[in-house]
Amino acid sequence: MSILSEISSWLQQGRAPKVKASVQQALDEGIPAGEILEQGLLDGMNVIGQKFKNNEVFVPEVLIAARAMTKGVEVLRPYLVADGVEEKGTVVIGTVKGDLHDIGKNLVRMMMEGKGLKVIDLGVDVPAERFLDAARENDAKIIACSALLTTTMGEMRSVVEAVEASELRDKVKVMIGGAPITQAFCDQIGADNYTPDAASAAEVALSLCMA
Ligand code: B1M
């Protein structure tokens, strides 16, 4: 079994110490961090997601796999985030109200930091007004919202409406993303940008900050 398949397999079993060790081993073997993330960690999480959908695994197993994923990402973090880069703008990021999924949001944050952006992470279950308050306090150029549930993606509309009704309208762009989000939804709610993954979110955020 290749080391990337091993990482995927340990993650599916929720074995955090094994995930950490095998991610480190893959790095030591010279495998690029992005490949370890995509073909090891995310591959394992995709299998868990599919099994969750099919009722083959349940919330506790998913939670343990998610913790293992977080441990693996921690090992990768220094390789995904550039050190000592001059800050190019500030982004306020969070998972919207009612939603507790944070793995994708954390990856977006890391990739943005890797582009030299300052990122204020508000965590999960963030109501619209907190996004706006943090944007004001930190003079942010971007509010970035993540949602993983079809039942919480509507919260993004509340964020867009709150920005439009405020003095931040011409200062702040609203970026959205997460598994159920699409470009059509972005257009429908009037958000500024939708990106499908963490890498493209970071690229778009950088270009918005440099504009
Ligand atoms: Co939940 N969950 N979950 N869950 N969970 C999903 C999302 C689900 C699709 C599973 C399924 O049924 N197949 C389903 C949602 C169904 C729906 O809404 N249609 C679901 C459900 C139902 C639930 C609960 C309701 C289950 C329950 O309690 N009965 C519950 C809700 C809790 C809540 O939020 N209020 C729940 C709970 C949980 C756990 C706590 C157990 C755990 C989360 C742990 C954590 O995040 N710390 C969990 C997990 C892990 C998942 C799955 C399996 C994996 C999500 C994940 O981390 N993926 C997920 C199934 C799936 O997505 N396949 C599922 C890896 C991550 C890297 O991907 O977050 O998509 P993702 O991020 C991507 C892109 O989307 C994008 O970039 C990332 C990578 O490039 N992206 C952005 C994300 N944010 C972005 C923002 C951007 C741009 C791009 O710009 C700002």
Side-chain angles (χ1 to χ4, degrees), residues 7 18-27 36 41 72 75-76:
I7 293 170
K18 292 284 188 190
V19 169
K20 269 179 86 171
S22 46
V23 167
Q24 188 57 57
Q25 188 188 330
L27 285 169
I36 300 171
L41 297 171
V75 179
L76 287 183

Side-chain angles (χ1 to χ4, degrees), residues 42 45 48-49 52-53 59 62-63 66 69 98-105 107-108 144-146 148-151 175-179 195-198 201:
L42 287 177
M45 193 46 96
I48 285 289
F52 191 28
K53 193 172 178 183
V59 170
V62 180
L63 203 48
M69 167 102 195
D99 199 323
L100 304 176
H101 296 84
D102 66 357
I103 296 173
K105 182 264 298 167
L107 281 176
V108 174
C145 303
S146 179
L148 264 285
L149 298 172
T150 45
T151 48
M175 289 181 63
I176 61 170
T195 48
D197 55 53

Side-chain angles (χ1 to χ4, degrees), residues 13-195:
Q13 295 169 50
R15 304 278 296 273
K18 292 284 188 190
V19 169
K20 269 179 86 171
S22 46
V23 167
Q24 188 57 57
Q25 188 188 330
L27 285 169
D28 295 343
E29 287 177 15
I31 302 175
E35 222 169 281
I36 300 171
L37 178 66
E38 293 286 337
Q39 292 172 35
L41 297 171
L42 287 177
D43 181 82
M45 193 46 96
N46 284 339
V47 175
I48 285 289
Q50 204 49 49
K51 287 188 172 168
F52 191 28
K53 193 172 178 183
N54 298 337
N55 290 321
E56 293 168 40
V57 298
F58 300 96
V59 170
E61 289 100 316
V62 180
L63 203 48
I64 293 166
R67 280 191 197 136
M69 167 102 195
T70 303
K71 292 290 173 199
V73 170
E74 274 169 19
V75 179
L76 287 183
R77 186 182 161 86
Y79 299 84
L80 296 172
V81 177
D83 269 342
V85 185
E86 192 189 330
E87 277 166 13
K88 299 185 174 102
T90 301
V91 180
V92 166
I93 195 167
T95 302
V96 297
K97 187 174 159 191
D99 199 323
L100 304 176
H101 296 84
D102 66 357
I103 296 173
K105 182 264 298 167
N106 292 344
L107 281 176
V108 174
R109 183 192 72 214
M110 266 180 227
M111 297 286 183
M112 287 180 172
E113 287 171 348
K115 292 274 178 200
L117 297 166
K118 180 176 176 187
V119 185
I120 311 291
D121 189 348
L122 303 178
V124 296
D125 194 17
V126 181
E129 272 313 320
R130 257 186 72 213
F131 280 107
L132 272 76
D133 289 345
R136 287 187 188 101
E137 283 159 22
N138 296 284
D139 197 19
K141 292 187 180 163
I142 296 170
I143 289 177
C145 303
S146 179
L148 264 285
L149 298 172
T150 45
T151 48
T152 57
M153 56 196 270
E155 282 299 321
M156 291 172 162
R157 187 192 294 276
S158 308
V159 176
V160 171
E161 285 175 358
V163 168
E164 276 177 2
S166 77
E167 82 293 353
L168 294 173
R169 189 179 184 164
D170 299 322
K171 292 187 200 157
V172 171
K173 301 279 184 206
V174 179
M175 289 181 63
I176 61 170
I181 311 302
T182 59
Q183 184 60 51
F185 179 71
C186 178
D187 296 342
Q188 195 189 322
I189 67 170
D192 294 294
N193 289 89
Y194 157 72
T195 48

